């Protein structure tokens, strides 16, 4: 209590004059993250509870809603890793879709037809969401891997239809006949691909114990997305393609008319005098 504490004037005062001395408990070490002091609180999840649901309950606690001034919650560990994983997953997914679109524009030599293939990709996560909802499975890393697989397979199915129809139209076949022929000739390989993929993923999807249970959401995602997208691909993609061809024809006539009108308005070039 009488330890001398130096003052700004050069003197000293006893420690008891500027502080209260007592016994208590405290951390043995001071942990920091980015020069910020932190305290780690650990807990185990209850059976049947996933991290996302647990964090929703924790964030709704009155204590976290009214934290003291200067105190905040840091996203570290698994939560930070999952956030980075989803961020880079979206970047990879968007880059893949743009690259596929660029390649299809070069192959089809059309601009709107590739949008039909890109539109069919929206059917994949919709079917996956329905499958996960029926199986009561949360969003996890295997689900994201299954979505990546789905995008490749669903894009391939729609490319089979659109590419065959474009090829037939390039050989002089009318639009409606080309679409009908594409659906008739390409339905079998599309259905065969779906049946083979669903059969291959079925053992993984029905695994409830062991190591395969961790990959069960991936199997459910692929099966649900394939079944849903295959049915809608055979129905919606031909309709979307027909609309895209009509819009392309309308745009072509519109721009051709504008170019023709501009050409007629140009003054005649003067004839040089002999």
């Amino acid at each position: 209590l009488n330890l001398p504490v130096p003052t700004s004037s050069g003197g000293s005062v006893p420690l008891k004059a500027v502080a209260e001395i007592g016994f208590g408990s405290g951390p043995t070490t001071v942990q920091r993250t980015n020069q910020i002091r932190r305290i780690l609180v650990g807990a185990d999840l209850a059976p049947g509870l996933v991290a996302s649901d647990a964090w929703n309950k924790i964030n709704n606690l009155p204590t976290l809603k009214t934290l003291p001034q200067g105190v905040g919650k840091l996203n570290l560990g698994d939560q930070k890793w999952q956030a980075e994983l989803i961020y880079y997953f979206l970047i990879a997914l968007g880059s893949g879709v743009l690259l596929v679109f660029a390649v299809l524009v070069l192959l089809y030599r059309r601009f709107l037809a590739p949008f039909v293939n890109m539109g069919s990709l929206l059917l994949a996560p919709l079917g996956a969401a329905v499958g996960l909802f029926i199986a009561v499975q949360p969003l996890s890393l295997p689900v994201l891997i299954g979505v990546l697989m789905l995008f490749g397979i669903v894009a391939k199915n729609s490319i089979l239809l659109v590419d065959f129809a474009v090829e037939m139209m390039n050989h002089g076949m009318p639009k409606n006949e080309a679409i009908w022929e594409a659906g008739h000739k390409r339905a079998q390989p599309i259905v065969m691909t779906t049946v083979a993929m669903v059969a291959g993923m079925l053992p993984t999807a029905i695994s409830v114990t062991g190591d395969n249970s961790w990959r069960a959401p991936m199997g459910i995602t692929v099966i649900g997305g394939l079944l849903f997208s295959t049915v809608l691909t055979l129905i919606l993609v031909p309709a979307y393609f027909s609309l895209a061809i009509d819009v392309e024809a309308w745009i072509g006539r519109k721009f051709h008319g504008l170019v023709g009108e501009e050409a007629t308005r140009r003054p005649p070039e003067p004839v040089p005098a002999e």
Side-chain angles (χ1 to χ4, degrees), residues 4-133:
V5 178
T7 62
S8 59
S9 60
S12 63
V13 296
L15 180 60
K16 63 183 179 181
V18 294
E20 295 181 0
I21 309 300
F23 291 96
S25 60
T28 56
T29 59
V30 177
Q31 298 178 343
R32 289 183 173 86
T33 299
N34 295 331
Q35 302 301 320
I36 300 175
R37 291 187 179 185
R38 67 178 176 90
I39 297 176
L40 178 64
V41 179
D44 295 329
L45 295 176
L49 186 65
V50 296
S52 58
D53 295 337
W55 275 113
N56 290 333
K57 294 181 179 181
I58 293 173
N59 292 328
N60 290 327
L61 293 175
T63 303
L64 282 183
K65 290 184 176 180
T66 57
L67 289 174
Q69 185 177 3
V71 178
K73 182 173 72 70
L74 296 175
N75 293 327
L76 302 174
D78 291 342
Q79 191 177 18
K80 180 181 179 181
W81 175 76
Q82 290 176 0
E84 292 179 352
L85 176 67
I86 294 176
Y87 173 74
Y88 290 115
F89 168 78
L90 294 176
I91 292 179
L93 191 63
S95 302
V97 170
L98 291 177
L99 287 174
V100 171
F101 178 79
V103 172
L104 291 179
V105 170
L106 296 176
L107 292 178
Y108 292 161
R109 296 181 181 178
R110 295 172 179 270
F111 186 74
L112 292 182
F115 279 105
V116 178
N117 299 115
M118 299 299 101
S120 65
L121 297 180
L122 300 177
L123 305 176
L126 181 59
V130 173
L132 293 174
F133 177 78

Side-chain angles (χ1 to χ4, degrees), residues 154-183:
V154 173
K156 187 268 301 178
N157 290 341
S158 62
I159 289 172
L160 284 176
L161 284 172
V162 175
D163 180 68
F164 192 90
V166 170
E167 190 68 22
M168 292 296 100
M169 292 177 61
N170 291 337
H171 284 79
M173 184 177 290
K175 179 194 68 175
N176 292 334
E177 294 183 11
I179 295 174
W180 177 265
E181 190 70 14

Side-chain angles (χ1 to χ4, degrees), residues 62-266:
T63 303
L64 282 183
K65 290 184 176 180
T66 57
L67 289 174
Q69 185 177 3
V71 178
K73 182 173 72 70
L74 296 175
N75 293 327
L76 302 174
D78 291 342
Q79 191 177 18
K80 180 181 179 181
W81 175 76
Q82 290 176 0
E84 292 179 352
L85 176 67
I86 294 176
Y87 173 74
Y88 290 115
F89 168 78
L90 294 176
I91 292 179
L93 191 63
S95 302
V97 170
L98 291 177
L99 287 174
V100 171
F101 178 79
V103 172
L104 291 179
V105 170
L106 296 176
L107 292 178
Y108 292 161
R109 296 181 181 178
R110 295 172 179 270
F111 186 74
L112 292 182
F115 279 105
V116 178
N117 299 115
M118 299 299 101
S120 65
L121 297 180
L122 300 177
L123 305 176
L126 181 59
V130 173
L132 293 174
F133 177 78
I134 295 175
V136 194
Q137 292 286 346
L139 184 64
S140 58
L141 176 61
V143 172
L144 300 181
I145 298 175
V147 170
L148 280 177
M149 296 172 61
L150 270 178
F151 268 63
I153 300 171
V154 173
K156 187 268 301 178
N157 290 341
S158 62
I159 289 172
L160 284 176
L161 284 172
V162 175
D163 180 68
F164 192 90
V166 170
E167 190 68 22
M168 292 296 100
M169 292 177 61
N170 291 337
H171 284 79
M173 184 177 290
K175 179 194 68 175
N176 292 334
E177 294 183 11
I179 295 174
W180 177 265
E181 190 70 14
H184 178 69
K185 294 291 182 63
R186 295 304 187 187
Q188 183 177 357
I190 290 175
V191 173
M192 288 174 60
T193 303
T194 301
V195 172
M197 198 67 184
V198 169
M201 282 292 174
L202 195 57
T204 302
I206 62 178
S207 300
V208 293
T209 58
D211 295 337
N212 286 335
S213 61
W214 185 77
R215 294 189 291 268
M218 179 179 64
I220 295 172
T221 300
V222 174
I223 291 175
L226 277 179
L227 294 177
F228 195 83
S229 62
T230 299
V231 175
L232 293 183
T233 295
L234 295 174
I235 298 174
L236 297 180
V237 169
Y240 292 159
F241 180 73
S242 178
L243 293 175
I245 296 301
D246 292 339
V247 172
E248 279 187 351
W250 178 82
I251 293 176
R253 292 192 300 267
K254 193 71 174 177
F255 277 93
H256 180 74
L258 292 176
V259 172
E261 292 178 3
E262 186 66 23
T264 56
R265 292 175 184 173
R266 292 178 182 175

